Amino acid sequence: MTSLLKTTFLSVALAGAFCAQAQNQASQSACAVLIGYPSIEQIDNPQEKAAAQWFKDAYTGGTVIAPGETTKIDPSKLNVIWIHIDRCNVGKGNLPAEFTDEATVAALKNFVENGGSLLLTKQATQLLDKVGRIESSFLPNIFGDGAGSKGTDNWNINAQIGRDNITADPSQYYDHRSHPIYANLEHGDTYGQAWDVIPMEGNSEGLWREDHNCMWDLNHDFTYTAEGKNLVEKFQNENSCVVLGTWGHVTDYNVAGIVEFYPTTKTPGTIIANGLACCEWAPREGVNNYAANLQGLTRNCFSYLQKKSTESGVSEVAVDTSTDAPVVYYTLQGVRVDAAALTPGVYVKVKGSEATKVVVR
């Protein structure tokens, strides 16, 4: 007699496991970095080269995607793709052609539409509208691409949004310090602040920072139609997202630096956009005392986005555990589809207690 086991099948988990360091090394193959050069060795931008080299060293089984290699942007093989763009004198909105050509944009859109997650850092946050996640009217409006300067203060992340309202109105205080992307990072109340921050860049002997923010001033330029108690809530409700971090010294609701964009019906993939200048990979002068925090934050984002990718879509699928069970197919949203009616796309193939991800071309 056939028995049924009710199990929650999570779509992208069928292709790979978490990308966290503690997980099996084989799962690293589900992580990728998209670069704007033929190879990491040929990158002539110190910031992007340092970031890509770190990925290559930290994720030895990961995939490096060069311009034109759009077939590698495959949601059946990858869970997370990282795009890091950090250049001087490019101008707001002028993303490199290697990231915005028609084929690459189409592949990235298909990736998030099939549950793949993106990590967009620095100037790459400007890709959010191109992949179909937000309207262009809500793209980052704080932008920097200058040479920067040398300083001795620390640059930090504040994960306590609306900290000024801890006492005045606790319902408008959002403490995200326990979010997984901040796990095991060093904290401190640097440069005289009376609150907990996460230092990302600094050296008391001097460190050159280029100051390339690409993030959100929530108090200017945007027209909100969504309701909310404050600017952060309005921005979040407008864009189905959560503001996870701001500049270290900001205690109100005016600036969003790290934003998690939730899965939507149109784009089931999760996106983390980090446009904070303090997340710089290659200072021109000096040694960053908090490089471990930058690496840890990035690794945590990979791990978290891997987990979110595995959670996008299929739920409560009844599975026949008998060995002669028939093969059934489901969309990533958990809708059963007749095998004869499959169209090109990504599906969950279930036979008995086994489930795999398949691509129909």
Side-chain angles (χ1 to χ4, degrees), residues 20-36:
Q21 186 176 23
Q23 300 297 325
N24 189 290
Q25 293 296 309
S27 69
Q28 294 185 2
S29 62
C31 298
V33 62
L34 175 62
I35 61 176

Side-chain angles (χ1 to χ4, degrees), residues 56-121:
K56 183 179 180 181
D57 294 340
Y59 293 88
T60 55
T63 301
V64 177
I65 305 173
E69 296 182 333
T70 54
T71 56
K72 291 184 178 180
I73 305 175
D74 186 344
S76 71
K77 297 178 180 178
L78 299 175
N79 293 148
V80 183
I81 297 176
W82 179 24
I83 306 176
H84 181 73
I85 306 174
D86 190 4
R87 306 187 182 187
C88 291
N89 305 316
V90 291
K92 181 182 177 183
N94 295 325
L95 286 164
E98 296 82 11
F99 299 97
T100 57
D101 64 278
E102 185 177 350
T104 299
V105 169
L108 290 172
K109 287 185 67 176
N110 177 71
F111 186 73
V112 295
E113 287 172 358
N114 284 282
S117 294
L118 295 179
L119 173 59
L120 305 177
T121 52

